Amino acid sequence: MVSLLRTIRSMRRVGLREWWRQMQYIGDAKSGRYVGADQFGNRYYENLNPEEEVPGRHRWVDYSQHYYNATQVPPEWHSWLQHIRKDPPAEDPIVQQVTPSWKAPWIENLTGTRGAYKPYNTVVPKIQAWEPKVTSRGA
């Protein structure tokens, strides 16, 4: 549970509108340093103040879409969020210099959307469905 003092402090830092939006989407009042954004428009933040944040929860992502999932976070940002990398991709010289030219842009998982992969079968089925044949009655 969030303490009242921390909630009021966060509300003053980010403003009433942003505070309300955070409470609706992530259920927590957070304020921190803006670190960067990715190609999806997701914003990444960090708060290193030890008395405000629970240890291990001082890096977070603010998704640009209302219906979000973890596949909308590119691998570079995911490694920063999970503390695999110390510096965020926007500030890390290694990530900026070593990006290969053949690397395709990150695409989120589209399962359950219109863009989902739908396989089709090109093999003739082994079992044919029975179709009744109607014959005329001889009168």
Side-chain angles (χ1 to χ4, degrees), residues 27-39:
D28 193 7
K30 290 182 164 275
S31 62
R33 177 179 75 97
Y34 173 76
V35 176
D38 62 11
Q39 72 257 24

Side-chain angles (χ1 to χ4, degrees), residues 38-58:
D38 62 11
Q39 72 257 24
F40 296 123
N42 301 328
R43 299 175 301 184
Y44 299 90
Y45 295 93
E46 181 176 38
N47 187 356
L48 297 176
N49 194 350
E51 64 258 2
E52 284 188 26
E53 295 293 332
V54 177
R57 298 189 132 197
H58 58 275

Side-chain angles (χ1 to χ4, degrees), residues 40 42 63 68-75 106-111:
F40 296 123
N42 301 328
Y63 292 97
Y68 52 83
N69 61 27
T71 65
Q72 294 172 342
V73 176
W106 178 253
I107 299 172
E108 65 179 295
N109 185 357
L110 300 174
T111 301

Side-chain angles (χ1 to χ4, degrees), residues 75-110:
E76 304 89 30
W77 284 104
H78 174 68
S79 63
W80 177 76
L81 284 171
Q82 300 300 320
H83 299 277
I84 297 169
R85 291 189 171 276
K86 185 179 100 175
D87 297 326
E91 299 171 6
D92 193 358
I94 295 172
V95 172
Q96 292 176 353
Q97 292 174 0
V98 184
T99 303
S101 60
W102 50 263
K103 183 180 173 188
W106 178 253
I107 299 172
E108 65 179 295
N109 185 357
L110 300 174

